[in-house]
Amino acid sequence: MNASARDMWRSRPRYGERVLQGLFFLSATLSIFVTFGIAWIMLSESVAFFRRPEVSLLDFFTDTQWTPLFAEKHFGIVVLASATLLITMIALAVALPTGLLTAIFLSEYASERVRRVVKPFLEILAGVPTVVYGYFALTFVTPLLKKFIPVIATFNSLSAGLVMGIMLIPMVASLSEDAIYAVPQSLREAAYALGVTKREVVTGVVIPAALSGIVASFILAMSRAIGETMIVTIAAGQNPRLTLNPFVPVETMTAYIVQVSLGDTPHGSLEYQTLFAVGATLFIFTFALNLFSHWFVRRYRERYE
Amino acid sequence: MYVSDTYAYASSRERWRRLKDNAFEIVALLATLVGIVFLLVLLVDVVRDGWPRLTWQFLTSFPSRRPQQAGILSALVGTLWVVPLAGIIASVIGVMAGVYLEEFAPQNRLTRFIEINIANLAGVPSVIYGLLGLQLFVRYMRPITGGRTVLSGALTLALLVLPIIIIATREALRSVPPSLRLAGMALGATRWEVTRDHVLPMALPGILTGIILSVARAIGETAPLITIGALTYVAFLPPFGLEGLRSPFTVLPIQIFNWISRPQKAFHINAAAGIVILLTVLLLLNGLAIYLRNRLQKRWRA
């Protein structure tokens, strides 16, 4: 409802309605409590983690080993974070061009009939549970890759990254398409009037005009890739190691959380606290990216009348 | 330079431009096909892998060390406990929050803060919700939830899908024309009366679609439930009744994950069969969402 209609309400709410409205308000504020709840839990358990004598904040950022489950413990988050970023980069290399081109095809080239066939496919692709993608990466994509790259291990970053990239296509495509859709037709027509070809309109006019929305979709895809859990747990392995080699097993931040959660983790134990230290790192990464994408859209959005 | 030379130059350039144009369209088409082909290959592969195990016995057996005797009964029943419960909790709170933000909220800083918050929560990784559930429901609220139980799982998933329901509710409410509200107001109805009797019924198809899609999301979630400590091997069913809420549980995707992470090929076949059932349920739910949307829309137009 717009502001003027809202201000025109004159009838006073009855007593029971006041109570109801209070309840509605509480439901809406729950989201704030959830956010602060997450932040508080991450912070308090991480503080407990760093207070331990065997843990130091400096080592957390500089150590090149991650072995909290071994007798000789090292806590170098770089090991897990680098695996996360490696797989994220592979996924984005697939998802960004493919997703953007899909959006361009659907909005600029496809007929209404083609759109009506393609869109449900993308919606189904977006709705496939990640555990299913993980299964496919491990039992189909990895054996396929092995035919071309014999050195590739059963668990590797490449397969997980490629499949995750496919998973992200619908998200990039639909967000980019929204941005492209918002570009007014008159802009395209003005370009055509100058004798420009269709591709030149797309790359020279439409994409620059929709750039803020497209970049936002890229950032959100990155955030989604960093937080993705099941594909990497199933297909990329549970071997924390610092490497940029996409053919060997690694362990991402999310995979570590799953690995530890599968075992018995009594509260207050070191394993329990590492969950939250890793979780806090993950939360900061994704939260910063999400905020950045909102800010980016607000800051750089082109407005058309 | 003769005129004909300029012509030849222009036409070769023109041809090159046209060629680039066609190439671009073909590349865009191929990119679009990537997702579709991948999906089709995935579906065929999973059905082919899982086909031998898709029997009645598979649906009605508990997990077992022997892959041929293992089934998904406890996982299926666990999903039927956790997901509807999560759906109900999230729907009640989510619809109320959506109604507040769209129909009642004043336009001030707090409202904007809540809106930004909800958008951000929608982007928080699901495994983080698992950590929240682990600390909040499994630990702090243990006297109520009983620890790593159906209730803890449902509450965790409810928080996870809450932003989806709030956003869908708001969109549905926004699509109701303001004139309807003005007409109600003109007749002296209160805000709540107009919302309850006119706005909500008209927005219902959109809200229901949002709820169903969020349930579909909850069915496929694995990581947050593993994080709160759902079991991976369950050879019993939660007792029917209220005490079932405080029973340990497993769900379909966790059972599938458990089978995938075993080295024996026979268990991978079980995983594929489980995936076929999971995907079938999801497709049925999506179909239901589309059916409801069409049916209710027709009724309101009449």
Side-chain angles (χ1 to χ4, degrees), chain B residues 158-224:
Chain B
L159 289 186
L160 175 71
V161 298
L162 194 58
I164 306 176
I165 294 185
I166 296 176
I167 292 166
T169 302
R170 293 193 65 184
E171 266 171 27
L173 291 172
R174 216 172 298 147
S175 70
V176 176
S179 58
L180 194 85
R181 298 180 179 88
L182 297 176
M185 265 166 22
L187 296 173
T190 62
R191 283 186 194 200
W192 169 238
E193 282 166 347
V194 172
T195 307
R196 181 191 62 200
D197 296 334
H198 304 286
V199 179
L200 271 180
M202 254 189 114
L204 198 61
I207 295 174
L208 275 180
T209 310
I211 290 174
I212 292 172
L213 291 180
S214 70
V215 164
R217 166 89 193 272
I219 288 178
E221 279 299 337
T222 323

Side-chain angles (χ1 to χ4, degrees), chain A residues 6 9 11 14 17 20 25 27 31 35 45 105 109 135 166 195 197-200 267 272 279 290-291, chain B residues 17 20-21 24 29 31-32 38 49 96 100 105 107 117 120 123 128 135 139 185 189-190 192-193 272:
Chain A
R6 208 189 293 255
W9 289 106
S11 358
R14 304 196 179 120
E17 295 179 3
L20 217 52
F25 174 71
S27 304
S31 67
T35 305
E45 289 295 320
F105 180 78
Y109 290 96
Y135 172 86
I166 305 273
T197 69
K198 189 154 192 171
R199 180 194 65 86
E200 288 161 345
H267 168 256
Y272 190 89
N290 293 344
L291 282 179
Chain B
R17 271 176 91 191
K20 274 212 295 202
D21 240 54
F24 184 74
L29 171 68
T32 309
F38 182 93
D49 285 357
M96 289 203 297
Y100 175 78
Q107 284 178 323
N117 220 294
N120 270 318
I128 299 282
Q135 187 84 333
R139 213 180 129 235
M185 265 166 22
T190 62
W192 169 238
E193 282 166 347

Side-chain angles (χ1 to χ4, degrees), chain B:
Chain B
M1 197 196 275
Y2 292 110
V3 176
S4 60
D5 275 0
T6 326
Y7 250 56
Y9 172 70
S11 75
S12 90
R13 241 182 69 125
E14 210 47 44
R15 215 176 298 140
W16 178 236
R17 271 176 91 191
R18 199 119 337 129
L19 201 71
K20 274 212 295 202
D21 240 54
N22 291 338
F24 184 74
E25 183 172 352
I26 290 167
V27 170
L29 171 68
L30 288 177
T32 309
L33 286 177
V34 169
I36 297 175
V37 170
F38 182 93
L39 180 64
L40 292 176
V41 173
L42 185 148
L43 292 177
V44 169
D45 177 64
V46 168
V47 171
R48 213 185 40 194
D49 285 357
W51 194 251
R53 290 293 292 132
L54 282 169
T55 59
W56 187 246
Q57 175 266 331
F58 183 68
L59 287 175
T60 54
S61 301
F62 285 110
S64 160
R65 277 183 296 124
R66 294 186 197 81
Q68 273 76 27
Q69 287 166 21
I72 54 165
L73 181 65
S74 49
L76 210 55
V77 173
T79 291
L80 284 177
W81 267 96
V82 173
V83 172
L85 194 60
I88 292 167
I89 297 168
S91 301
V92 171
I93 300 174
V95 171
M96 289 203 297
V99 166
Y100 175 78
L101 290 171
E102 208 56 38
E103 305 289 331
F104 294 101
Q107 284 178 323
N108 58 19
R109 278 214 176 142
L110 180 64
T111 306
R112 265 205 40 208
F113 183 62
I114 293 174
E115 285 172 345
I116 295 172
N117 220 294
I118 290 168
N120 270 318
L121 279 180
V124 169
S126 60
V127 68
I128 299 282
Y129 281 97
L131 291 175
L132 175 69
L134 177 64
Q135 187 84 333
L136 187 61
F137 301 131
V138 175
R139 213 180 129 235
Y140 292 159
M141 287 169 60
R142 183 180 289 273
I144 303 166
T145 60
R148 306 167 193 268
T149 58
V150 168
L151 188 56
S152 294
L155 288 169
T156 306
L157 286 186
L159 289 186
L160 175 71
V161 298
L162 194 58
I164 306 176
I165 294 185
I166 296 176
I167 292 166
T169 302
R170 293 193 65 184
E171 266 171 27
L173 291 172
R174 216 172 298 147
S175 70
V176 176
S179 58
L180 194 85
R181 298 180 179 88
L182 297 176
M185 265 166 22
L187 296 173
T190 62
R191 283 186 194 200
W192 169 238
E193 282 166 347
V194 172
T195 307
R196 181 191 62 200
D197 296 334
H198 304 286
V199 179
L200 271 180
M202 254 189 114
L204 198 61
I207 295 174
L208 275 180
T209 310
I211 290 174
I212 292 172
L213 291 180
S214 70
V215 164
R217 166 89 193 272
I219 288 178
E221 279 299 337
T222 323
L225 294 180
I226 291 177
T227 311
I228 68 154
L231 300 177
T232 51
Y233 185 94
V234 175
F236 57 86
L237 300 180
F240 202 75
L242 269 183
E243 66 268 41
L245 293 176
R246 290 165 60 103
S247 162
F249 70 103
T250 192
V251 290
L252 210 41
I254 291 184
Q255 182 64 66
I256 292 167
F257 170 65
N258 178 259
W259 281 329
I260 294 174
S261 46
R262 294 183 191 216
Q264 301 96 317
K265 276 276 178 294
F267 279 114
H268 288 184
I269 297 174
N270 284 3
I275 287 171
V276 172
I277 287 164
L278 183 65
L279 290 180
T280 309
V281 173
L282 290 179
L283 282 179
L284 286 178
L285 271 179
N286 276 303
L288 179 69
I290 294 166
Y291 170 77
L292 269 178
R293 195 164 43 189
N294 292 344
R295 209 184 96 115
L296 290 172
Q297 258 169 3
K298 258 181 222 141
R299 201 171 70 200
W300 280 106
R301 227 177 268 142

Side-chain angles (χ1 to χ4, degrees), chain A residues 14 71 87 128 142 149-150 161 164 170 190 197 203 215 224 274 282 302:
Chain A
R14 304 196 179 120
I87 296 176
V128 171
T142 299
I149 313 162
M164 194 197 286
T197 69
T203 54
V215 171
R224 179 85 193 278
T274 55
L282 185 66
E302 305 266 345

